Amino acid sequence: MTELAVLPPDFAKEAAIMEKTWASKPGVIGWLSETGHKQIGLRYIVTAFLFFLAGGIEAALMRIQLLKPENHFLGPDAYNQIFTMHGSTMMFLFAVPIMEGFGVYLVPLMLGTHNVAFPKLNAFGYYIYLFGGLFLYTMFLLHAAPQAGWFSYVPLAGPQYSPGKGVDTWAQMITFTEVSGLVVAVELVVTTFKQRCPGMSLNRIPLFVWSMIVVSFMIIFAMPAVMIASGYLSLDRLVGTHLYNRSEGGDPLLYQHMFWFFGHPEVYIIFIPGLGFVSSILTAFTGRKIYGYTAMVSTLVVTAFLGFSVWVHHMFATGLPQLGESFFTAASLMIVLPTGVQIFCWIATIWSGRFRIATPVMYVIGFFLVFIVGGLTGVMLASIPIDWQVHDTYFVVAHFHYVLIGGALFPLFGAFHFWFPKWTGRMYSEVMGQISFWLLLIGFNVTFFPMHVLGLYGMPRRVYTYQPGMRWGNLNVLASAGAVFMALSVLTMIINFLVSRRAGRVAGANPWNADTLEWSLPSPPPVYNYLHVPTVSGLNAVWDAAPDQPYVTGMRFDRREILITRVLDAEPDHTEQLPGHSPWPFVLSCTMCIGLWGAIFFAWWFTIGAVLSGIALIGWFWPSDRELEDHILREKGELGGLELGMPEPVREEMP
Amino acid sequence: MTASTLAPIQSALHSAGPQAASIEHLWWVFFWICVVVYVITIAFFFIAAIRGRRRAEAVDNPAHDRRLGIFVSTCAAVTIATLFGLLFSSVATGNAIGTFGKNKPGQIEIEVTGHQWWWEVKYPDALAPANQITDANEIHIPIHTPVLLRLDTRDVIHSLWIPNLHGKRDLIPGRVNKFWIQADRPGVYRGQCAEFCGYQHAHMALTVVAESSADFLKWKSHMGEGAPTPMTPAQLRGQQVFLSAPCAKCHNILGLDAYGTLGPDLTHFRSRPTLAAGQLLNTRGNLAGWIMNAPAIKPGTTMPPNQLSGQEMSDLLAYLETLR
Amino acid sequence: MTQRVLDVAALTEGTADSRSLIWWGNLAMLAIEGTMFAMAMATYLYLRSTNLDWPPSTVPKPDLLMPTINTVMLLLSCIPAFIIDRASITKNMLPIRICQALSIAVGLLFLYIQYAVMVPSLGYKWSSHAYGSVVWVIIGMHTLHMVAATGETALLFLYSLFKPVLKKHLLDFRCTAVYWYFVALVWVPFYFIIFIEPWMQRKGS
Amino acid sequence: MKRSLALLVILAVVACHRERRPLAPAAVDSQRPNPLRMGDLQPGPKQLAATGINNPYEGNAYAISEGQRLFAQYNCSGCHFHGGGGIGPPLMDAEWIYGSSPVNIFTTISEGRPNGMPSYGGHIPVYQIWQLTTYVRALGGFEPKGATSPRSEEMMAKRAEEPK
């Protein structure tokens, strides 16, 4: 490598070639063969948002049912299915995938690379997630939805007390979404560690990318636990194993341990990207780098570690030995500290920054107001005696909605508004943005704050009705009224986005004067992201760039070539070629559906699906003739080098 | 009109026993500390926001960052101190509750068994096992006496929760959980299943009747007796209806040729305040409706609808009326 | 005004070592699967701690000969995997082909012995009791991995017979070797709990 | 496209039937093959004449599970031992003294049989007899495998992979 000084040439020709190299293919098959990270990321986001709307409708139905005591709007059968679907949808089909979608979309852009590390795997992850969700909803419409709650405790979810195929569907949906989550996690880890642009050493990685790395590692170690837990549940239900059958030596608590070993980290998996959004937005809107970058990163890592040591606080009421439980109290309390430090760092950043206000920042303010309440009620739940009282009551319902809506949904909506100009090239309507924010903030608090009181006043969660005279009626009416505001807020936001997408003001490359690399690209970004891989010379890539900040040359434009850099210092190491479009991810996800859906009804489908998947995998890995030719020529050193993009007019060695 | 109007507020913040009282105390400690923390943090946030709004240019230099560092580390230190305080008070309360009842005189043991969706309550007699009392959906306890509850379940996981007396404890297949309750004020306290257990999780309540020791002993000896013999012809006919209709297949009445174990023991069931695990008040009208078509009132219940003629029904009710 | 550039034209295209993307992807996958095996192991230990009779007294003491031979054979098969790994660096195709053939043979033989000899002699099924369930789950999980490792090796072997072997294939050889170590080593603790533990003093007796 | 639509419809119908949960059965039940009860005990022919009455719960997962619960709770297992037989005949083999059709089994439960099988008709509601019938038929392997649960939460008399 050499650093050269050249006159800035005109890159129109190169851009045209790149456009052709990375372009999507036309037609349905082209659409199904797509492997571009921006496309796939947007598909994740849109699909997850649609599932969010479905989950929201389910929530609305539950609020109608609970409007008055002994209501007959929904029976226990329908209500149980709906609350199970609501929880499962929001956790597995909305919260995690939408964060992954943002990661898939933004991480390569923030790192200055062309695509994620394994584009085909990425597409496969999306389809498997989509099919898992569609399967669950198909069964829901066929009246075969699970109805044992989103954590499907055995023995209620076991073969005897949940007859039918509902819980099998649930368990299989878990498998699908977990595979998808794991796939994205692997990609993001490898992309971040190997594909950062030159100069982006570990201490210059944007905080959002850090949050996605931490989340990815959590996924890698947490999600296998739930796959095993739900896999055991499937085996118990389908082939008669006794893993959870106490009378044959199994143990129902085993399920709870494994589920919460995943389930608690899951909460962090959902809101740590939210913390990343907050950091991104605050950096842009305070005009300075986040105070305490090192502290921010290390607290994220500490949160991830502690997140794995607190799962038993979901099981305080099961009567485990007291001493052991006290350890988990301590761990659960201590996990407040890293998040607290992050909050103090943000306050310090705002304090010393030039704080501007726009809708994304409003959502960050909402995050502070709401999430801290959730964190503090979390402190209460960490205490064993208090947990004994409020566990499994509406207090807990209020708590985790404050944590998840405050910690994930508010930052997420902020992120929608923040990156909307980048996706569409146009600005959203600020007025409507503010309206939807206030509707959400008010509606949310009206809905969920009374639930704290309801829980303390003895209302257990997951009851399909309650009795008159329990003094819960008025607060439930209030909660249902708040839900209307929340629905209006989401509706306003959708209308805002749909209208602004076509009619909004043209945004330009960097409307917020934000700092990360994606803002150096036009909006929306070209299909290949960066014509030349950029270099960075500071944490805030855009702000710290010199006027003549170097870019990388010497890479081909007519191949999907990416630059691999070293893990620690991001020095250029070698180049690799990414695969192009491929129908095989879609085919493989179909064959996996045959195996895994079929297995619910008849065990041999599993084998059939496995064989078909094996064939699909061979197709997946079989290199095309052109790729082979390329490789052979390259190894012989006979592949013609394109002179395009090489420094053109005057070359002079840099001092 | 339903059962819940009988009991005082089912609430964790209206304690009637020492454990619930100490949890309530702990709760208020946590609550006020959290309120203070919240107010301070949000105040910091808005002061920062106002200062930030007034700035024309962001400050980003090492000297300034050092001052911010002092702010953040002070806040972190205060957080750690607060957390340790909370941890200490929580563990102390937990230990006090955990060791409660050990080595105290006059202990009473009660076995509570969860069913989908009602509670079976037994008062075992260690000296004479035959004298065991079986009751359903209500627990009688003497006040000022620690009572040991042994919790077990016949089917899925349930959770016993009587918020005015104590926090909840799960009933888990294959393991017997134990915990202590004590009431210090006489009264009727409502409890409810807190772990989702299927269709009628919402209708799985029980009442705890806390009374003076004398009253408790009187109740207990009354419960030990079999059902009274029917006196009037209507009652006698009702008894026959009970034995020949489906009732006796599921319900037990002490002193009668009925040994069903599927449903609650009915020997003294008219003395219970509620019907159908706390869903209905135990009145003659409710009872008739319940017998006629229980699944319409509580969908999913094991109690089937019964086809009885008007005469049979009124005889049966007359008989059941005697089971006090 | 001049523009500085960073020229990377001299860099190599693709590597067959730990710097490449696939290598990292492979490691991440092993982390996931390692966690799954750890969970299966945790299940076993957890159920062991909650049962008084473990293994259940109806479980016969298994015949040790074939399982031991099988396990030793699987461990020894790390040697050809290692040779493949080393020879790939220098692209020495002969040892690679021989060792691949050897690996496939060992893989198939292992699976055959597992299902024709060991499993039928266990004396219980997955539906007999929780002990049977967890043992069968472990065996099933490992079998799936064994099938995958053998299948992958077989595919690469066949491919390399008919098509030119390039740098990316050498990388595949090396990643498969790493996967083979994993599949072989992860079996060892399971061998001990399935076949040795019933011979030790039973818990509770 | 058409074929997949048809497939979906079939799946829908099958799934709906299997998953139907009558949480509040009707108080009056007409699904009764033999409304006249002749006595407490009654011998029966091997096969009843076709009555035109079908088991309303055929292949219904929820009914099988309810039947399983009732089987334990009405103490059927007291004589039949989870289907393995004992005092009463085993229920999970291929041999049926009084016929294996749903109506036969219904009649057996409802009317009783000589040598010890008591009559449950009139003591338990008709819909529960049908649920028991469905479960007993599932024990015998007559119900679709997808609707039956492979094991219960109790000690197992039979093992899942053994023929039913």
Side-chain angles (χ1 to χ4, degrees):
Chain A
M1 284 151 293
T2 47
E3 265 198 15
L4 303 170
V6 293
L7 290 174
D10 176 25
F11 285 120
K13 208 164 134 202
E14 289 85 346
I17 299 175
M18 277 295 259
E19 190 83 40
K20 211 171 132 227
T21 310
W22 291 87
S24 310
K25 288 196 173 152
V28 177
I29 296 180
W31 197 85
L32 293 176
S33 309
E34 178 64 52
T35 52
H37 77 98
K38 292 190 294 301
Q39 287 268 357
I40 302 290
L42 280 179
R43 282 183 203 174
Y44 263 112
I45 292 170
V46 170
T47 314
F49 193 76
L50 291 176
F51 279 123
F52 167 71
L53 295 182
I57 291 169
E58 286 147 13
L61 292 174
M62 291 192 284
R63 282 321 318 167
I64 296 173
Q65 164 67 12
L66 293 176
L67 257 179
K68 57 175 193 186
E70 298 288 5
N71 197 353
H72 287 287
F73 177 69
L74 300 173
D77 194 21
Y79 188 88
N80 293 352
Q81 293 190 25
I82 285 173
F83 85 67
T84 305
M85 291 293 289
H86 171 75
S88 307
T89 304
M90 290 304 196
M91 296 301 273
F92 294 111
L93 301 178
F94 164 63
V96 176
I98 205 160
M99 298 305 180
E100 285 162 357
F102 266 91
V104 166
Y105 188 95
L106 287 175
V107 165
L109 287 173
M110 286 187 173
L111 299 179
T113 185
H114 298 295
N115 202 346
V116 288
F118 309 111
K120 289 202 264 188
L121 199 62
N122 194 22
F124 167 74
Y126 169 73
Y127 290 118
I128 214 79
Y129 150 66
L130 176 70
F131 290 153
L134 286 182
F135 183 49
L136 184 69
Y137 269 83
T138 312
M139 295 299 265
F140 181 43
L141 296 177
L142 296 179
H143 195 75
Q147 43 179 309
W150 85 269
F151 37 88
S152 285
Y153 272 7
V154 287
L156 183 62
Q160 189 170 355
Y161 299 104
S162 284
K165 294 297 172 201
V167 176
D168 299 314
T169 312
W170 180 86
Q172 220 61 291
M173 181 276 291
I174 297 293
T175 311
F176 276 74
T177 49
E178 306 306 283
V179 166
S180 144
L182 288 167
V183 157
V184 174
V186 169
E187 261 157 36
L188 292 183
V189 166
V190 177
T191 308
T192 315
F193 282 155
K194 300 303 295 181
Q195 286 177 234
R196 304 195 304 275
C197 65
M200 192 181 279
S201 48
L202 282 182
N203 57 351
R204 287 176 184 170
I205 299 179
L207 280 169
F208 174 73
V209 178
W210 266 117
S211 72
M212 288 313 298
I213 301 178
V214 168
V215 162
S216 300
F217 274 105
M218 292 186 83
I219 288 176
I220 287 175
F221 293 109
M223 287 207 172
V226 75
M227 280 184 76
I228 290 278
S230 65
Y232 286 174
L233 180 60
S234 290
L235 290 175
D236 267 19
R237 292 179 56 88
L238 296 173
V239 301
T241 54
H242 296 280
L243 292 150
Y244 301 135
N245 182 5
R246 184 65 262 190
S247 53
E248 295 276 14
D251 194 346
L253 279 189
L254 171 66
Y255 179 85
Q256 297 191 15
H257 278 295
M258 288 204 293
F259 188 85
W260 290 117
F261 184 77
F262 146 82
H264 202 84
E266 166 90 342
V267 175
Y268 295 95
I269 289 169
I270 290 171
F271 85 72
I272 284 179
L275 305 183
F277 293 145
V278 171
S279 292
S280 293
I281 295 171
L282 279 184
T283 313
F285 284 85
T286 55
R288 61 154 289 168
K289 68 170 190 290
I290 290 286
Y291 168 76
Y293 175 82
T294 319
M296 295 294 274
V297 174
S298 45
T299 47
L300 282 178
V301 176
V302 168
T303 308
F305 274 104
L306 280 177
F308 281 98
S309 58
V310 300
W311 82 93
V312 169
H313 75 217
H314 296 264
M315 299 167 63
F316 281 158
T318 55
L320 294 173
Q322 186 111 22
L323 186 68
E325 287 189 340
S326 294
F327 164 79
F328 289 96
T329 296
S332 309
L333 285 174
M334 284 311 146
I335 206 163
V336 170
L337 184 64
T339 316
V341 168
Q342 298 224 332
I343 288 174
F344 302 138
C345 285
W346 286 322
I347 291 179
T349 309
I350 296 171
W351 180 284
S352 50
R354 182 174 169 271
F355 193 47
R356 293 179 294 149
I357 300 278
T359 308
V361 177
M362 299 301 286
Y363 277 106
V364 170
I365 295 174
F367 157 83
F368 274 92
L369 291 172
V370 172
F371 176 70
I372 297 177
V373 175
L376 291 170
T377 49
V379 168
M380 298 171 180
L381 285 169
S383 159
I384 297 172
I386 294 179
D387 185 83
W388 281 340
Q389 280 287 17
V390 293
H391 175 69
D392 268 340
T393 68
Y394 263 79
F395 187 88
V396 170
V397 176
H399 157 71
F400 69 71
H401 280 94
Y402 267 82
V403 168
L404 292 178
I405 293 189
L409 197 76
F410 272 90
L412 179 74
F413 282 11
F416 278 156
H417 290 86
F418 187 64
W419 277 289
F420 182 79
K422 184 49 62 187
W423 290 332
T424 60
R426 290 176 186 273
M427 296 299 289
Y428 59 86
S429 151
E430 187 65 36
V431 176
M432 285 182 78
Q434 300 259 357
I435 291 175
S436 77
F437 164 74
W438 284 107
L439 282 173
L440 184 68
L441 185 70
I442 294 168
F444 170 79
N445 281 294
V446 173
T447 306
F448 289 100
F449 198 81
M451 292 187 187
H452 290 117
V453 186
L454 278 174
L456 291 166
Y457 273 34
M459 182 161 168
R461 62 194 279 212
R462 304 168 150 195
V463 288
Y464 80 99
T465 190
Y466 52 94
Q467 291 165 280
M470 294 303 293
R471 300 163 210 230
W472 300 335
N474 292 340
L475 289 173
N476 271 305
V477 172
L478 198 60
S480 300
V484 177
F485 288 89
M486 292 178 73
L488 286 177
S489 158
V490 174
L491 201 66
T492 318
M493 193 177 75
I494 293 172
I495 294 171
N496 186 5
F497 285 168
L498 288 181
V499 172
S500 306
R501 198 162 71 94
R502 305 219 173 280
R505 188 161 51 78
V506 172
N510 192 356
W512 310 120
N513 190 21
D515 67 314
T516 36
L517 270 179
E518 80 272 21
W519 298 104
S520 67
L521 291 173
S523 309
V527 62
Y528 47 80
N529 294 353
Y530 297 91
L531 185 63
H532 297 105
V533 171
T535 64
V536 298
S537 50
L539 169 60
N540 305 99
V542 173
W543 300 344
D544 298 338
D548 61 343
Q549 181 74 20
Y551 53 74
V552 174
T553 60
M555 290 177 66
R556 302 184 64 97
F557 296 105
D558 60 341
R559 297 284 186 277
R560 295 172 172 240
E561 195 166 73
I562 53 163
L563 181 67
I564 309 295
T565 53
R566 291 209 295 256
V567 175
L568 290 177
D569 52 9
E571 285 297 313
D573 189 82
H574 65 280
T575 60
E576 278 193 30
Q577 297 220 26
L578 290 184
H581 297 294
S582 164
W584 290 107
F586 178 74
V587 174
L588 179 66
S589 49
C590 289
T591 56
M592 279 185 70
C593 286
I594 293 173
L596 291 174
W597 294 0
I600 292 181
F601 300 96
F602 184 54
W604 279 103
W605 280 110
F606 183 80
T607 316
I608 297 168
V611 172
L612 289 176
S613 301
I615 295 168
L617 273 173
I618 293 173
W620 174 311
F621 287 113
W622 204 264
S624 72
D625 288 345
R626 197 199 126 162
E627 275 171 27
L628 267 185
E629 215 171 295
D630 245 33
H631 279 290
I632 295 167
L633 285 176
R634 194 186 299 271
E635 284 188 12
K636 287 186 188 155
E638 289 170 7
L639 187 65
L642 258 85
E643 287 307 312
L644 291 169
M646 299 297 276
E648 294 250 339
V650 191
R651 296 185 179 216
E652 49 179 86
E653 290 297 320
M654 289 294 290
Chain B
M1 188 56 180
T2 57
S4 46
T5 43
L6 273 179
I9 314 171
Q10 173 181 323
S11 161
L13 300 182
H14 294 74
S15 56
Q19 290 114 315
S22 49
I23 296 176
E24 192 185 339
H25 178 73
L26 183 68
W27 152 261
W28 285 116
V29 170
F30 268 63
F31 175 76
W32 285 115
I33 289 176
C34 287
V35 165
V36 170
V37 169
Y38 184 76
V39 168
I40 291 176
T41 315
I42 294 299
F44 270 132
F45 174 77
F46 278 106
I47 293 169
I50 290 165
R51 285 185 66 106
R53 290 291 289 158
R54 291 195 184 138
R55 258 184 235 285
E57 198 58 47
V59 193
D60 188 359
N61 60 58
H64 187 74
D65 276 7
R66 256 199 302 284
R67 283 206 299 282
L68 294 180
I70 295 169
F71 163 75
V72 170
S73 14
T74 313
C75 288
V78 171
T79 309
I80 293 176
T82 315
L83 289 175
F84 267 105
L86 292 175
L87 177 63
F88 180 75
S89 60
S90 166
V91 170
T93 308
N95 283 345
I97 296 173
T99 53
F100 177 87
K102 279 186 187 148
N103 312 319
K104 283 195 185 167
Q107 291 171 358
I108 295 173
E109 290 192 13
I110 303 176
E111 287 172 13
V112 179
T113 308
H115 295 257
Q116 278 179 324
W117 295 276
W118 59 282
W119 306 91
E120 186 180 1
V121 183
K122 286 183 188 151
Y123 299 74
D125 193 325
L127 299 176
N131 291 349
Q132 169 173 288
I133 297 166
T134 308
D135 198 359
N137 301 327
E138 63 162 0
I139 303 175
H140 278 250
I141 55 170
I143 54 170
H144 299 307
T145 313
V147 177
L148 177 65
L149 299 181
R150 292 177 184 280
L151 309 176
D152 196 2
T153 172
R154 234 349 82 72
D155 34 54
V156 301
I157 299 178
H158 303 279
S159 191
L160 177 68
W161 184 36
I162 309 146
N164 303 61
L165 296 181
H166 200 338
K168 56 188 71 64
R169 189 56 58 90
D170 290 351
L171 288 66
I172 297 168
R175 63 178 71 203
V176 174
N177 263 335
K178 287 185 280 192
F179 86 135
W180 296 86
I181 59 169
Q182 178 177 327
D184 284 346
R185 278 186 284 126
V188 180
Y189 306 103
R190 192 173 183 276
Q192 201 165 348
C193 174
E195 184 64 78
F196 178 63
C197 57
Y199 293 118
Q200 289 298 339
H201 168 56
H203 292 133
M204 188 171 164
L206 55 75
T207 45
V208 176
V209 180
E211 55 205 352
S212 69
S213 290
D215 286 346
F216 174 73
L217 287 176
K218 214 168 85 188
W219 172 84
K220 201 175 168 188
S221 69
H222 172 68
M223 287 298 285
E225 298 158 10
T229 328
M231 304 300 240
T232 67
Q235 290 168 0
L236 271 166
R237 285 198 305 274
Q239 192 179 42
Q240 280 315 304
V241 172
F242 184 89
L243 286 172
S244 60
C247 318
K249 275 273 174 281
C250 301
H251 294 287
N252 181 35
I253 291 181
L254 215 58
L256 203 62
D257 194 15
Y259 303 109
T261 52
L262 176 49
D265 184 293
L266 296 182
T267 313
H268 295 283
F269 105 102
R270 285 292 279 152
S271 68
R272 292 178 209 149
T274 67
L275 203 60
Q279 191 180 1
L280 304 166
L281 270 187
N282 196 350
T283 63
R284 191 182 159 98
N286 282 343
L287 181 58
W290 177 250
I291 294 171
M292 209 55 157
N293 196 350
I297 296 167
K298 194 171 177 176
T301 179
T302 328
M303 174 100 170
N306 291 290
Q307 288 168 265
L308 297 175
S309 68
Q311 184 62 43
E312 285 173 324
M313 178 59 90
S314 90
D315 291 343
L316 182 61
L317 289 173
Y319 169 65
L320 292 176
E321 205 61 41
T322 67
L323 301 176
R324 288 191 177 276
Chain C
M1 189 194 112
T2 58
Q3 166 72 51
R4 287 181 297 158
V5 296
L6 183 64
D7 189 40
V8 296
L11 292 181
T12 53
E13 198 276 345
T15 62
D17 57 25
S18 60
R19 293 175 298 163
S20 65
L21 294 178
I22 297 281
W23 183 280
W24 278 68
N26 193 40
L27 286 188
M29 199 172 78
L30 293 188
I32 292 167
E33 287 168 15
T35 314
M36 293 183 84
F37 277 113
M39 285 290 153
M41 191 67 176
T43 308
Y44 180 90
L45 295 175
Y46 181 86
L47 290 179
R48 188 179 188 279
S49 74
T50 57
N51 276 285
L52 291 174
D53 185 26
W54 190 269
S57 26
T58 53
V59 168
K61 289 185 173 25
D63 184 19
L64 281 185
L65 181 65
M66 287 315 279
T68 312
I69 291 174
N70 220 14
T71 307
V72 170
M73 184 180 72
L74 189 61
L75 282 177
L76 288 178
S77 73
C78 287
I79 295 169
F82 182 77
I83 294 172
I84 294 173
D85 193 2
R86 289 291 116 181
S88 299
I89 298 173
T90 53
K91 202 182 169 184
N92 192 353
M93 280 315 289
L94 185 68
I96 292 180
R97 292 226 166 92
I98 295 173
C99 289
Q100 276 180 334
L102 211 59
S103 291
I104 299 163
V106 168
L108 292 177
L109 191 62
F110 178 87
L111 289 171
Y112 173 77
I113 295 178
Q114 187 94 308
Y115 279 86
V117 184
M118 278 157 60
V119 158
S121 71
L122 283 177
Y124 49 85
K125 291 218 164 175
W126 60 87
S127 54
S128 302
H129 33 60
Y131 177 82
S133 305
V134 68
V135 166
W136 276 80
V137 163
I138 288 167
I139 291 178
M141 272 174 71
H142 189 261
T143 299
L144 282 180
H145 282 77
M146 204 61 223
V147 169
T150 313
E152 202 180 336
T153 312
L155 268 179
L156 288 174
F157 177 69
L158 291 177
Y159 184 90
S160 67
L161 283 184
F162 300 111
K163 293 265 185 174
V165 174
L166 303 169
K167 204 192 278 174
K168 58 179 278 186
H169 302 120
L170 295 175
L171 178 60
D172 289 343
F173 294 160
R174 300 193 66 194
C175 286
T176 312
V178 173
Y179 190 67
W180 194 280
Y181 304 149
F182 171 76
V183 175
L185 290 178
V186 87
W187 176 247
V188 175
F190 296 130
Y191 164 76
F192 274 98
I193 60 171
I194 296 172
F195 296 103
I196 304 295
E197 195 182 359
W199 281 91
M200 304 188 345
Q201 191 178 16
R202 271 169 216 262
K203 203 187 155 201
S205 63
Chain D
M1 192 63 215
K2 245 183 210 161
R3 197 178 305 156
S4 63
L5 206 68
L7 247 150
L8 202 71
V9 170
I10 292 170
L11 181 70
V13 171
V14 171
C16 289
H17 178 70
R18 176 170 37 223
E19 303 291 328
R20 199 179 52 211
R21 292 175 180 84
L23 289 191
V28 179
D29 204 328
S30 57
Q31 291 286 343
R32 218 177 147 165
N34 186 0
L36 282 176
R37 294 200 40 233
M38 295 160 193
D40 279 355
L41 297 175
Q42 184 191 16
K46 190 97 180 169
Q47 283 300 320
L48 280 181
T51 51
I53 287 179
N54 292 320
N55 180 357
Y57 299 128
E58 186 89 52
N60 183 300
Y62 180 72
I64 294 174
S65 137
E66 285 293 285
Q68 183 176 17
R69 193 168 56 105
L70 296 170
F71 191 86
Q73 284 170 330
Y74 288 138
N75 206 17
C76 307
S77 38
C79 298
H80 296 287
F81 294 110
H82 297 287
I87 300 168
L91 299 178
M92 51 193 207
D93 55 12
E95 219 170 283
W96 293 83
I97 305 172
Y98 299 107
S100 63
S101 78
V103 174
N104 285 61
I105 294 172
F106 182 97
T107 315
T108 304
I109 298 171
S110 163
E111 313 300 332
R113 299 291 185 189
N115 301 327
M117 174 75 196
S119 150
Y120 283 84
H123 289 288
I124 61 177
V126 170
Y127 74 87
Q128 291 189 351
I129 302 184
W130 279 122
Q131 288 172 340
L132 279 165
T133 305
T134 322
Y135 173 63
V136 168
R137 277 179 54 83
L139 279 178
F142 294 110
E143 295 290 325
K145 218 179 157 197
T148 58
S149 87
R151 68 155 174 82
S152 71
E153 296 289 336
E154 288 149 14
M155 297 286 276
M156 303 262 288
K158 64 177 170 57
R159 303 300 169 191
E161 72 283 4
E162 288 167 7
K164 283 182 183 172

